[in-house]
Amino acid sequence: MASESRTEHDSLGPVEVPADALYGAQTQRALENFPISGQRFPRGFIRALGLVKRTAALTNGELGLLDEALAKAIAEAAGEVESGRWDSEFVLDIYQTGSGTSTNMNANEVIARRAQALLGADTPQIHPNDHVNYGQSSNDVIPTVIHVAARGALEDDLVPALEGLEATLREKAREFDHVVKSGRTHLMDATPVRLGQEFSGWARQVELGIQRVRNASLELAELALGGTATGTGINTHAEFSTRAIGRISDLTGLSFREAADHFEAQGAKDGVVAVSGALNTLAVSLTKIADDIRWLASGPTSGLREIRIPAVQPGSSIMPGKVNPVMSEALMMAAARVMGNHTTITVAGSRGNLELNVMMPVLASALLESITLLAGACGA
């Protein structure tokens, strides 16, 4: 047993941890407490968590609150978390403590042990709480990470994918502008339209979707960092949040600022719900577009057959030559999941009881999944 594990201690007493694990006692307890889904936080969340821990360490070192060498080692270890080097050490389930404390401590423990290795065993002990988590709380770190991760994904992944889709639809609108066809209302023949006009309508839907996503992204510009446990900022330096958030802005290339009111930032997740609302609207738009294309391409002998879509793969295991609108169907399924995620986010957002929301992990997971699905399906 001794060769396979080591004994760590937390406020509840000793706990056995795998000998080669970077994480410690609190992570191990959470691992044993929450064997629920097997779902882990995505790469974007862990990257943002490492970024926040790196900026916190550098800021605390700059303010003279941590020894310079110690702050540098913590920042280097956090940078390795940010890069993905230690993703295998982030072992906890999404369905855990509602504040995300378990995952914050997972990061603190991994970073502390790795920083200790960088400094050397004969140096003063680096503590996950006293040093890595200095001037922070799970209650302000996790909301900050959600905003940083989601805003980065919106701006870097989803908006470019939507811009590419809009450009393609507008190109087809111009190409097909001379094609006159029957319009349809109630799926029945109506007055004539040009095929290009139908495509231009879809392009405008995507254009408006981009506007909504960009406006929603601004909802995430305020960060809770500096509010610590309940929003009062207890146990943190007066300049910590401003300096740390400035670093986050510089490192991400996105404009972030300290929350105007830390009690709102930690007790409510209305900004995330608003972002999800924009994604839900986008999912509705994309479903309409994808389904229209399916209808217009139906056939080829007994359907509308007004457009031909590329044959990207065989469509049947029993009917040779059959080709199906698989790209439209994939997009519609992704959109359906986003709509379901919006319900999850709505319920999770409503659980901002007094000074803390207690469904942040599932809220973060659902939001980041929605962004990833829409970006991937639109860019496919």
Side-chain angles (χ1 to χ4, degrees), residues 193-206:
V193 300
R194 299 192 305 277
L195 181 59
Q197 290 174 316
E198 288 183 323
F199 273 83
S200 70
W202 301 335
R204 175 60 174 164
Q205 281 187 276
V206 176

Side-chain angles (χ1 to χ4, degrees), residues 53-227:
K53 293 296 177 181
R54 178 158 68 101
T55 59
L58 292 172
T59 302
N60 284 323
E62 180 181 80
L63 291 169
L65 302 172
L66 289 178
D67 174 80
E68 183 179 351
L70 187 148
K72 182 178 178 182
I74 291 173
E76 184 176 346
E80 292 177 352
V81 168
E82 185 182 350
S83 73
R85 180 173 180 180
W86 305 114
D87 280 1
S88 62
E89 297 287 334
F90 287 83
V91 294
L92 299 183
D93 207 279
I94 289 294
Y95 300 92
Q96 53 164 278
T97 172
S99 61
T101 297
S102 298
T103 290
N104 184 43
M105 284 307 305
N106 192 168
N108 292 334
E109 290 175 343
V110 167
I111 292 167
R113 192 169 180 84
R114 174 58 181 160
Q116 191 74 61
L118 292 170
L119 277 182
D122 57 344
T123 57
Q125 188 70 29
I126 297 177
H127 195 278
N129 296 86
D130 295 343
H131 300 127
V132 182
N133 203 58
Y134 191 99
Q136 305 153 64
S137 165
S138 302
N139 300 353
D140 64 348
V141 166
I142 297 301
T144 296
V145 170
I146 293 171
H147 281 215
V148 171
R151 192 160 193 224
L154 289 172
E155 300 287 351
D156 297 339
D157 301 329
L158 181 54
V159 168
L162 290 172
E163 288 174 335
L165 177 59
E166 182 197 353
T168 298
L169 291 171
R170 292 206 180 280
E171 178 185 347
K172 291 299 180 182
R174 290 188 293 270
E175 181 181 344
F176 299 144
D177 195 52
H178 67 285
V179 178
V180 178
K181 61 180 288 293
S182 178
R184 288 186 179 82
T185 58
H186 306 270
L187 292 181
M188 306 302 286
D189 293 349
T191 56
V193 300
R194 299 192 305 277
L195 181 59
Q197 290 174 316
E198 288 183 323
F199 273 83
S200 70
W202 301 335
R204 175 60 174 164
Q205 281 187 276
V206 176
E207 180 185 13
L208 289 171
I210 294 170
Q211 292 178 19
R212 293 183 184 108
V213 168
R214 283 185 164 147
N215 289 336
S217 176
L218 297 176
E219 295 265 5
L220 304 176
E222 290 196 0
L223 300 184
L225 196 64

